[in-house]
Amino acid sequence: MQQEDQPSEVASSPSPTETPQPPPEQLTPTPPPETTPSENTSPDSDKKEKFKLIQSDLAKRLDTTPSTIGRRKSDDSFAEWSQSKDPDGIAWKYLRKSRVFIPVDPDKRYV
């Protein structure tokens, strides 16, 4: 029996409902969706997060040692002392429960 000659590859054209896709090198990435105000990503929340410091980070900011911060953090004059050492004049207080330092006046606009 003889086999009929059939082409080994059949070129298929896209069906009318399919959209031809460009080659991968011509595809452009889709940018991520922009955040909406309801996602709580305001500059104010960023600043508050930026100004939550652990002891070693506050020591670097105040140009002192972590042990000095540790000794002074419970002093009544800590806010005034830290303000005098801070390059932006920020007064700091220690939150014992969360073990971080935050500005005394978190609503103040710091640059």
Side-chain angles (χ1 to χ4, degrees):
M1 278 182 87
Q2 278 187 338
Q3 292 183 348
E4 294 181 23
D5 288 330
Q6 293 182 355
S8 59
E9 292 183 26
V10 177
S12 64
S13 60
S15 68
T17 58
E18 289 182 35
T19 304
Q21 296 295 317
E25 62 273 0
Q26 291 181 358
L27 293 175
T28 56
T30 305
E34 296 201 16
T35 57
T36 60
S38 64
E39 292 180 30
N40 196 20
T41 56
S42 69
D44 287 344
S45 66
D46 290 344
K47 286 184 190 243
K48 288 178 184 173
E49 285 301 312
K50 178 182 175 185
F51 285 99
K52 265 188 194 174
L53 300 178
I54 60 172
Q55 187 166 308
S56 60
D57 291 337
L58 183 61
K60 288 176 191 171
R61 182 176 174 88
L62 302 184
D63 193 28
T64 189
T65 63
S67 62
T68 299
I69 299 291
R71 277 195 314 272
R72 292 184 147 241
K73 67 185 174 190
S74 58
D75 291 350
D76 290 338
S77 61
F78 182 76
E80 292 81 18
W81 175 80
S82 63
Q83 186 174 27
S84 72
K85 303 279 285 173
D86 189 274
D88 295 322
I90 299 171
W92 296 88
K93 66 180 175 182
Y94 180 63
L95 299 179
R96 194 178 318 167
K97 198 172 195 179
S98 56
R99 299 172 67 175
V100 294
F101 295 86
I102 63 167
V104 171
D105 185 2
D107 295 326
K108 186 175 178 183
R109 300 279 181 188
Y110 298 111
V111 179

